[in-house]
Amino acid sequence: MASVSISHMILFIASLVIAAGVVGTVTTEVDRVNAAIEATSMDVSEDIRTDVTIVSDAGSSNVYDSGNDTVTLLVKNTGTQRLAPDGSEAVVVFDGVFVGSGSMETTLHGGSGDSWGRGDVLEYTIDVGSIDTGDHRIHLTVNGDEEVFEFRHE
């Protein structure tokens, strides 16, 4: 009879040790998942608060400057997220070709100069080289917000 109690006690202690190990492992993994969700939610929050609108007139003759081989694009920050005025948060694709930061200059109109706030307009001057007559397309992505601008060069 005592041998049954001892074996039950050993099994009980073993199950407690195993349960403690499982709880420790699960708690660690839950903390890691929680940290990952928190980091992702901050990124998504920035993406949601970012909203830009291209305000350039597609019918204007000022979009493409054939003397300098540049395209001028006026972009207004209509979101609540303050952005860098140097265009570092933007990805520009012109007629399907990626435009690197070395081929692009920015000028902030309005605002303090150290950030591109709501209602401020950022002027992108993009060196695109000589372009053919016809329709052209600029795809602009800023912090996940995508805008497309199409214009015709005569």
Side-chain angles (χ1 to χ4, degrees), residues 13-29:
I13 291 171
S15 64
L16 285 177
V17 168
I18 290 171
V22 169
V23 166
T25 302
V26 168
T27 301
T28 302
E29 291 304 314

Side-chain angles (χ1 to χ4, degrees), residues 7-154:
S7 64
H8 283 158
M9 184 180 288
I10 291 171
L11 287 173
F12 178 71
I13 291 171
S15 64
L16 285 177
V17 168
I18 290 171
V22 169
V23 166
T25 302
V26 168
T27 301
T28 302
E29 291 304 314
V30 166
D31 287 343
R32 293 172 89 191
V33 168
N34 185 35
I37 289 172
E38 188 175 316
T40 302
S41 68
M42 291 301 290
D43 291 342
V44 170
S45 173
E46 283 184 11
D47 289 351
I48 289 172
R49 294 185 334 212
T50 300
D51 190 24
V52 297
T53 303
I54 297 174
V55 294
S56 291
D57 181 10
S60 172
S61 61
N62 295 330
V63 174
Y64 177 69
D65 180 2
S66 58
N68 294 328
D69 291 336
T70 58
V71 170
T72 300
L73 193 64
L74 299 173
V75 183
K76 184 175 185 175
N77 184 351
T78 54
T80 58
Q81 179 72 23
R82 296 187 80 72
L83 303 167
D86 60 0
S88 61
E89 296 166 312
V91 175
V92 178
V93 177
F94 178 75
D95 285 344
V97 177
F98 172 75
V99 177
S101 59
S103 299
M104 190 169 45
E105 293 180 12
T106 58
T107 304
L108 183 63
H109 298 283
S112 62
D114 59 344
S115 68
W116 178 23
R118 181 180 181 95
D120 298 339
V121 174
L122 190 64
E123 178 181 322
Y124 287 88
T125 304
I126 306 164
D127 184 8
V128 295
S130 180
I131 62 174
D132 296 331
T133 302
D135 295 331
H136 298 279
R137 183 177 185 187
I138 299 173
H139 188 268
L140 173 72
T141 305
V142 179
N143 267 5
D145 182 44
E146 299 180 11
E147 297 291 320
V148 175
F149 180 72
E150 295 176 340
F151 69 98
R152 182 165 187 78
H153 173 58
E154 299 293 328

